[in-house]
Amino acid sequence: STFARLSLFSEQRATLPVPPKVRSPNVVRTLAGGLDAIWKDYDHHLRTNVRAAERAGVEVEIDRTGARLDAFLSIYEHTMRRRNAAAFYFFPRAFFERIAEGLAGHFAFVHALARGEVVSSELVLCSEQRVYPFLGGTRAEAFRIRPNDMLRHRAIAWAIAEGKKAYVLGGGIAPEDGIFRHKRAFAPRGVVPFEVACLVHDEAGCRDLLRDRESAAGGGTPWAPYPDF
């Protein structure tokens, strides 16, 4: 069998032998037209939040080397604990060091600072044409000054200056959850379907594997495949 997460951009897709399946909505902020036009396209409440961050003195720094990795890790782990994230998401420091060493020129840490202290931080990955926010977080005590809204606004400005065509914000955990609504505020008309391809090449072989997996559970936790996977 084959499972593939498909690009959000049609020009990057091969012809598929089966129809794709829609999994969730994603948000893509096109960078055409310049920052002034993009600013006017934001949701009103987002512009209000960015102005509030400006009044609070929030500044944004683009870190292309990982010089503030310690600050990023502190905020990221704080955020994962606050959100009761699964153990999978607590990546070791070495994970981020490998990104800094192996993806030079194709990543940046974007930091929002209040009174010289990093209070929100995000790791973004960069392709030739697009920027993809990857992992990040914000200190809970800084929510009131809206540093993450400012961070992403300035990251979009930076992406424009770098000649990128789109800022791919991604989606939420569940439809219309708070994460998704926050991202959509940056591109109200930029919602696109995230699709996957699911192909079974050998029906009998798949049935054998499923039977073996069910048997392997033994007397432990019962196992069954996800109904939509």
Side-chain angles (χ1 to χ4, degrees), residues 121-138:
S121 188
E122 191 160 66
L123 169 61
V124 301
L125 305 180
C126 309
S127 71
E128 182 178 349
Q129 297 184 348
R130 302 177 180 101
V131 173
Y132 300 79
F134 182 31
L135 299 169
T138 301

Side-chain angles (χ1 to χ4, degrees), residues 95-116:
F95 173 83
F96 297 100
E97 290 176 338
R98 286 196 298 272
I99 289 176
E101 293 168 4
L103 289 179
H106 299 283
F107 78 92
F109 290 94
V110 187
H111 309 296
L113 295 85
R115 298 179 181 177

Side-chain angles (χ1 to χ4, degrees), residues 23-25 83 171-181 184:
R23 279 292 183 264
S24 63
R83 298 188 64 86
I173 298 172
E176 290 296 321
D177 65 7
I179 296 173
F180 176 75
R181 293 195 304 272
R184 187 175 57 195

Side-chain angles (χ1 to χ4, degrees), residues 60 62 110 124 150-160 167:
V60 175
I62 306 296
V110 187
V124 301
M150 171 67 90
L151 182 156
R152 287 186 164 171
H153 174 61
R154 293 301 182 195
I156 286 169
W158 168 75
I160 293 171
Y167 192 83

Side-chain angles (χ1 to χ4, degrees), residues 67-76 93 111 118 121 139:
R68 290 187 184 264
L69 180 57
D70 287 339
F72 168 85
L73 286 172
S74 176
I75 290 172
Y76 177 72
R93 182 188 182 89
H111 309 296
V118 179
S121 188
R139 293 207 174 279

Side-chain angles (χ1 to χ4, degrees), residues 7 49 75 80 92 97 134 152 172 189 199 208 213 225 228:
S7 172
N49 290 347
I75 290 172
M80 293 303 100
E97 290 176 338
F134 182 31
R152 287 186 164 171
R189 285 169 286 278
L199 298 86
D208 290 344
R213 179 64 181 85
D228 62 347

